[in-house]
C-alpha cells in the first residue's frame, strides 16, 4: 500500500477507471448477444437499431481507451456480419 498521498489517489482513480472499462466491455458483450438474438428472431428494423447502438458503444469505448482500436474494429466487423444475417 502506498504511503504518499498522491499515490493513494492514483490507486483509487485507477480502480475506478478499471471498473468503468469493465462496464464498457460488459455492455458491449451484452449488446452483441442482444443483436444476435434479434437477428435470429427475424426483426430487421430492431436488428438495425441494435446494431447501431452496439457500434456507437464500441466507438465510445475505443475513444475512451477502454478497448484497443483494432479490437473495436474487429468487434464492429463481427457485428456487421451478424447483422447481415450470415453469423459466420
Amino acid at each position: 500500500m502506498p504511503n504518499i498521498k498522491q499515490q493513494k489517489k492514483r490507486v483509487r482513480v485507477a480502480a475506478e477507471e478499471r471498473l468503468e472499462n469493465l462496464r464498457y466491455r460488459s455492455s458491449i458483450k451484452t449488446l452483441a448477444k442482444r443483436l444476435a438474438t434479434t437477428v435470429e428472431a427475424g426483426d430487421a428494423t430492431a436488428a438495425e437499431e441494435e446494431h447501431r447502438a452496439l457500434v456507437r458503444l464500441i466507438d465510445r469505448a475505443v475513444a475512451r481507451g477502454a478497448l484497443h482500436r483494432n479490437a473495436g474494429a474487429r468487434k464492429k466487423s463481427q457485428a456487421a456480419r451478424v447483422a447481415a444475417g450470415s453469423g459466420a
Side-chain angles (χ1 to χ4, degrees):
M1 250 346 255
N3 294 323
I4 300 169
K5 184 177 181 181
Q6 182 60 37
Q7 294 308 311
K8 289 178 183 178
K9 180 179 177 182
R10 284 306 316 156
V11 167
R12 180 172 42 86
V13 169
E16 291 168 0
E17 289 173 351
R18 193 165 35 250
L19 281 178
E20 189 167 358
N21 291 343
L22 179 64
R23 278 187 220 111
Y24 272 107
R25 292 194 308 264
S26 177
S27 297
I28 287 170
K29 290 177 189 176
T30 302
L31 287 179
K33 290 174 189 173
R34 194 182 299 167
L35 172 65
T37 57
T38 307
V39 168
E40 285 178 16
D43 190 358
T45 57
E48 180 61 33
E49 188 62 36
E50 292 289 343
H51 180 254
R52 193 174 302 118
L54 176 59
V55 169
R56 191 177 299 132
L57 185 65
I58 291 171
D59 286 337
R60 194 176 308 139
V62 168
R64 273 198 40 68
L67 204 62
H68 191 274
R69 60 190 171 95
N70 290 353
R74 184 179 66 243
K75 288 180 185 298
K76 289 194 316 190
S77 175
Q78 290 168 348
R81 278 204 316 268
V82 169
S86 69

